[in-house]
Amino acid sequence: MLSIALLVFLFAISFLFNATPFFGGPYTLIAATVLLQSGVNPLSFLLVCIFTGLGASLSKSVMYFIGLSAKKPLQKNRNVLFIKRIGVNRGFSVTLFIASVMPFLPMDDFLYLAGGAAKLNVLSMLEISIIAKIIKSSIEIGTEILGLKGISELTNVNPVEIGIISIVAFSVLGYIIFKIDWEKTYEEAMKHVRQLTQR
């Protein structure tokens, strides 16, 4: 049975790993390992998903306030201006939800950074992220439990080593995504969608 102290630890790990800009540490991998050691049952799985999801989502306020404090240098950035224009639309909420659920890519970091610079409503953003991150935790932790069991039967790879490789990969991907012109990419995607629908 999981203790309150262990759940608070998982919340803290999830918060810290997700509060580091563009640097998603393997918090779900740690949670999956803890569950395997403690014994997996429906209640413990649900509690771990809720605590890690809350930690991961609430930490995004750090990115928001970084964007808010850096508003002046960022306010002329074309990506920030783009987010400011679409921030009041339902499409932004859907985009934030999808970005918060997506594995591997720290897209929600960019949305919170731009959202802070554009002074969007952080509480509305967090409401979306809490639901999304709990769903993400349940998917990733469930998958990783199965994966860890499979890997342990086939190899002697340490989960910590896998986590370090993941952190490096996420950092590189985060830098690449930050250099992308979101508005141009969005317009190109919409152009292709229009072409497909006209056929």
Side-chain angles (χ1 to χ4, degrees):
M1 184 67 182
L2 292 169
S3 66
I4 294 296
L6 191 53
L7 290 171
V8 171
F9 166 76
L10 291 175
F11 172 88
I13 288 292
S14 303
F15 188 98
L16 290 172
F17 279 158
N18 282 274
T20 310
F22 318 118
F23 201 69
Y27 69 97
T28 57
L29 186 59
I30 293 170
T33 304
V34 166
L35 270 172
L36 285 170
Q37 291 174 342
S38 303
V40 184
N41 61 62
L43 179 59
S44 63
F45 180 80
L46 177 64
L47 288 172
V48 166
C49 291
I50 289 171
F51 274 76
T52 55
L54 284 172
S57 56
L58 294 177
S59 71
K60 296 305 170 186
S61 59
V62 173
M63 284 303 298
Y64 179 90
F65 289 110
I66 289 173
L68 190 63
S69 63
K71 186 179 70 171
K72 283 189 177 180
L74 288 174
Q75 63 186 181
K76 292 184 179 180
N77 178 284
R78 64 177 62 189
N79 292 330
V80 171
L81 293 172
F82 176 57
I83 292 296
K84 194 170 186 176
R85 287 200 302 273
I86 68 168
V88 294
N89 298 334
R90 183 177 294 177
F92 177 77
S93 298
V94 173
T95 302
L96 178 59
F97 181 86
I98 293 170
S100 298
V101 171
M102 278 176 62
F104 308 122
L105 302 176
M107 289 300 297
D108 52 342
D109 281 357
F110 297 102
L111 293 176
Y112 271 92
L113 182 69
K119 295 185 74 173
L120 301 183
N121 188 322
V122 67
L123 293 179
S124 297
M125 293 177 73
L126 287 173
E127 286 174 2
I128 295 165
S129 293
I130 286 170
I131 297 168
K133 290 297 186 187
I134 291 173
I135 292 171
K136 181 182 179 182
S137 284
S138 65
I139 294 169
E140 289 191 5
I141 293 170
T143 304
E144 286 163 356
I145 286 172
L146 295 175
L148 286 172
K149 285 181 177 179
I151 291 170
S152 67
E153 291 174 2
L154 296 172
T155 68
N156 290 321
V157 177
N158 189 320
V160 175
E161 292 174 6
I162 297 171
I164 292 169
I165 293 168
S166 299
I167 288 172
V168 172
F170 296 159
S171 300
V172 172
L173 283 171
Y175 176 77
I176 292 169
I177 292 168
F178 188 71
K179 301 298 287 184
I180 292 172
D181 184 331
W182 299 348
E183 185 170 12
K184 185 177 179 181
T185 304
Y186 176 80
E187 288 172 355
E188 286 291 326
M190 290 299 100
K191 182 180 175 181
H192 289 302
V193 169
R194 284 192 295 269
Q195 288 174 350
L196 289 171
T197 55
Q198 289 171 359
R199 289 179 182 177

